[in-house]
Amino acid sequence: MKKITLLLLILFTTVSNAQHSVARDWNEMTLTAIRADFARPTVHARNLFHSSVLMYDAWAIFDSQATTVFLGKNFGGYNCPFNGIETPANIDDARHEIISYAVYRLLNHRFENSPGGTDLLTEFNTLFTSYGYDPNDTSIDYSTNSYAALGNYMASEMIAFGLQDNSNEQIGYTNVLYTPSNPALILENYYETNDIDPDRWQPLAFDVFVDQSGIEYPVDTPDFLSPEWGSVTPFSLSTDDLQILNNGFDSYVYNDPGAPIYIQNSNEDGISDPYKWHFALVASWSSHLDPNDPTMIDISPASIGNFDFANFPETFEEYQAFYDFTNGGDASTGHALNPKTGSPYVPQLVKRSDYARVLAEFWADGPDSETPPGHWFTILNYVSDHPAVVKQIAGIGPIASDLEWDVKAYLSLGGAMHDSAVDIWGIKGYYDYLRPISAIRYMAGKGQSTNASLPSYDPHGLPLIPGLIELITDTDPLSGDSNENVDRIKIMAWKGPDFIADPLTDTAGVDWIIGTHWWPYQRGTFVTPPFAGYLSGHSTFSRAAAEILTRLTGDPFFPDGMGIFDIEQNNFLVFEVGPTENLTLQWATYRDASDQTSLSRIWGGIHPPIDDIEGRIIGDKIGNDAFNLAIQYFDNTLSTATSELDNDIVLYPIPFKNQLHINTNDIQYNTVDLFSIDGKLVISYLLESGLNTIDTKALNTGIYFAKFKNQNDANTIIKKIVKY
């Protein structure tokens, strides 16, 4: 049985299978729904977050310490009123009922038009009615102290919130502003590949496109998924880290990493151009995917992982030192000892080709994918089930019940996954950077950029690297019947899906191929995700999730010092047979697993290194920020949606929508001026002591600056604020 058909419901090792909480049941149901839907990481990170908020709030209502996130709050400019409800005699039963009605209604709404919608609605109903609940009870009038009605009400409010959070849910999440710069690459047209901007994303044209969930698309040239997602209401992302940038439309960009590398007009020696080096490295690692290659490597925690975050590369020279261009992998050195057992990790020598192919498939999450955000929820659930885990939030304090642990874990991880999608897809939409298949085919079509005295010289060509990237000669098997391919570029690489007739028995292998025939290590009906590469969603999601798991458990290590997933010989890979032997993926820490995810996308031909590192760095920040915010909800220490400018002025909500409130205890600052991002004064308001309310309906969404000043302009305070 393939890994995918297992649905990753049982991960790594057999663990305790005790009775799960109702939150776990509904989280598993949400993951089931995601697997049956189109593979949309942004959309499903949002679904996981919104369902997690509902479950957490249903728990927090009756907790003496915690506070809700959404219910009874102004969340992202949306007000969700709550008049309270009677505390029940049995709080556990009430929470169970509220959670079930809330998530049941939300999932029915979000997945009713899914490709698997009919079957999914039946599955939702089966779980819901198994608890004895009535699907026909649709009342939202919780004033009767009906916990079913409260669950229905919470779902209705979350649905309404989702229809105005800038996700474009009401029009099927389609794009409104973005248009691609380049014409589509016709994948089977191996020669006419040069009429593009080599710094911008290129759509791909298929005969049939089957997405990462194994679902056939109704169009053969899929659009860029979610280039405008940066404006979606986040969880913990700070407006202090937000810029609105324009590259054809207004892009909301948090934690701007700066531009990627752009192609240079090389003056020979093309490998010194960082653009060409980064994409040539992807081609180099493609040569590692031959199951007949005898190269052996140690894939145990003794040899991989444990790289110091502070030493991630910044300069081109540091990138060259961090990634092994020729042999694959990174500069990590592994762990000397398992801290839980005190013993060294046992080496595991396997074929590099098996390891690289398995990584590309395991972390890609498809077909039948729960997408990268959902994949990390399956890992969280595995950790939660492990008998070695002590369920203390952040590794301290009293042991939480299964329900408390689950709702707090899901809120933290859901918030981090959602924020990663908002952050990274805002960056993707703005920088609009191409994928390796476009870059490599483009450069190969141009020629070589190493030596102007040799044939096919072009400043945008690939660098010549003996044994990896060469010119085709008239004696070459690739020269063609009439020598039509002589002086074209050839690459030593994975041969591609054209060489696999039966995926149960065949492998494509590695050989010299015409450079414009280059393929990522993917299915021919998928090839590359339909959105820009820079930055890597996998790197960001995974690092953010690793930080959440580290903070949640209070331990950077997997339970018992190692997480494992067993891979069966010739019974794991999806689009070709393999691996050639049994092997076990192993990770000492959550960060090690995250870093492995990043490398998998290079071996898979999906990302160059330039897409990776900044994603890891931003993911680290998002994971910690999301957990810090979640803790404030758990402990009710949050000052929500306000900004204290000094001891006497409070500005809220932050971000704002139709009204901006300013509470001042004196009139030292008697005027507030609002300026648009281009410096235009849009509102000037005279302040009075106490509460001031400014009508902001007429303002466009975007960034504004509030300037508070006294009568003589001697003292001023300026605050960046955002309207959604």
Side-chain angles (χ1 to χ4, degrees), residues 454-521:
L454 294 177
S456 303
Y457 177 78
D458 190 283
H460 279 197
L462 280 167
L464 295 177
I465 302 172
L468 177 65
I469 302 171
E470 298 181 357
L471 289 170
I472 297 172
T473 66
D474 57 4
T475 60
D476 197 298
L478 294 175
S479 61
D481 294 338
S482 304
N483 284 343
E484 65 271 18
N485 295 325
V486 171
D487 295 335
R488 290 184 181 272
I489 293 292
K490 66 177 182 179
I491 302 174
M492 180 63 71
W494 186 67
K495 292 162 62 178
D498 293 345
F499 291 84
I500 301 170
D502 184 350
L504 296 178
T505 58
D506 297 344
T507 57
V510 168
D511 204 343
W512 288 107
I513 62 170
I514 297 173
T516 53
H517 291 212
W518 187 87
W519 292 87
Y521 185 68

Side-chain angles (χ1 to χ4, degrees), residues 21-23 59 92 95 99 401-408:
S21 74
V22 64
W59 175 86
D92 290 342
R95 285 170 168 162
I99 288 172
S401 69
D402 287 346
L403 179 60
E404 179 183 354
W405 174 268
D406 286 341
V407 297
K408 290 182 175 180

Side-chain angles (χ1 to χ4, degrees), residues 111 120 226 289 361 401 502 528 542 582 584 607 675-676 692:
F111 291 95
L120 284 175
S226 306
L289 304 174
E361 180 62 36
S401 69
D502 184 350
T528 282
S542 298
N582 294 336
T584 302
H607 286 290
F675 295 88
S676 60
N692 299 262

Side-chain angles (χ1 to χ4, degrees), residues 27 62 122 132 235 254 322 367 383 437 502 616 628:
N27 176 255
F62 304 118
T122 299
F235 175 56
Y254 293 88
F322 180 78
V383 170
I437 188 168
D502 184 350
R616 299 196 208 189
N628 290 341

Side-chain angles (χ1 to χ4, degrees), residues 300-375:
S300 76
S303 296
I304 60 174
N306 198 28
F307 190 83
D308 184 356
F309 174 84
N311 293 324
F312 276 149
E314 297 179 6
T315 67
F316 177 43
E317 292 73 21
E318 289 170 347
Y319 270 87
Q320 291 174 300
F322 180 78
Y323 296 93
D324 190 328
F325 187 100
T326 302
N327 300 308
D330 62 18
S332 64
T333 57
H335 302 261
L337 297 174
N338 181 330
K340 307 302 180 183
T341 65
S343 300
Y345 288 100
V346 178
Q348 182 190 182
L349 291 172
V350 304
K351 284 185 177 181
R352 179 182 59 188
S353 60
D354 280 342
Y355 177 67
R357 291 187 300 151
V358 164
L359 287 196
E361 180 62 36
F362 179 80
W363 290 111
D365 301 327
D368 291 338
S369 167
E370 59 272 299
T371 72
H375 194 166

Side-chain angles (χ1 to χ4, degrees), residues 85-326:
I85 196 168
E86 184 178 287
T87 301
N90 189 317
I91 291 176
D92 290 342
D93 287 350
R95 285 170 168 162
H96 193 290
E97 189 170 357
I98 297 168
I99 288 172
S100 295
Y101 273 88
V103 182
Y104 173 71
R105 299 297 178 200
L106 180 67
L107 295 185
N108 272 275
H109 169 77
R110 293 280 172 84
F111 291 95
E112 63 180 342
N113 296 319
S114 167
T118 301
D119 290 339
L120 284 175
L121 298 187
T122 299
E123 289 194 60
F124 302 158
N125 202 62
T126 297
L127 177 60
F128 185 72
T129 57
S130 73
Y131 299 135
Y133 299 136
D134 181 6
N136 296 315
D137 185 351
T138 59
S139 172
I140 61 172
D141 181 10
Y142 63 87
S143 66
T144 62
N145 290 317
S146 166
Y147 302 111
L150 179 55
N152 289 335
Y153 170 75
M154 291 169 64
S156 71
E157 287 294 307
M158 184 62 77
I159 290 167
F161 166 75
L163 295 175
Q164 57 81 69
D165 71 344
N166 298 322
S167 66
N168 295 335
E169 179 189 340
Q170 63 272 30
I171 54 174
Y173 306 102
T174 55
N175 302 332
V176 175
L177 302 170
Y178 173 87
T179 55
S181 298
N182 284 318
L185 172 63
I186 301 172
L187 290 164
E188 300 302 332
N189 185 345
Y190 290 131
Y191 297 103
E192 296 178 14
T193 61
N194 291 327
D195 189 20
I196 66 168
D197 180 341
D199 295 325
R200 301 292 290 272
W201 180 73
Q202 182 180 30
L204 302 181
F206 297 79
D207 290 335
V208 176
F209 176 65
V210 180
D211 80 357
Q212 219 162 344
S213 288
I215 297 172
E216 184 175 330
Y217 257 44
V219 296
D220 57 11
T221 305
D223 292 334
F224 189 134
L225 174 74
S226 306
E228 302 155 19
W229 205 257
S231 63
V232 173
T233 304
F235 175 56
S236 64
L237 296 177
S238 171
T239 55
D240 291 340
D241 297 322
L242 173 64
Q243 299 180 68
I244 298 181
L245 306 174
N246 193 291
N247 191 6
F249 66 97
D250 283 345
S251 296
Y252 286 63
V253 176
Y254 293 88
N255 299 304
D256 180 15
I261 49 171
Y262 296 128
I263 197 166
Q264 298 176 9
N265 289 318
S266 299
N267 183 16
E268 302 187 291
D269 191 23
I271 196 66
S272 63
D273 173 357
Y275 180 103
K276 298 182 181 75
W277 181 89
H278 278 264
F279 286 106
L281 180 142
V282 178
S284 175
W285 287 23
S286 177
S287 70
H288 302 161
L289 304 174
D290 188 350
N292 295 317
D293 181 353
T295 303
M296 305 292 285
I297 60 173
D298 179 16
I299 66 168
S300 76
S303 296
I304 60 174
N306 198 28
F307 190 83
D308 184 356
F309 174 84
N311 293 324
F312 276 149
E314 297 179 6
T315 67
F316 177 43
E317 292 73 21
E318 289 170 347
Y319 270 87
Q320 291 174 300
F322 180 78
Y323 296 93
D324 190 328
F325 187 100
T326 302

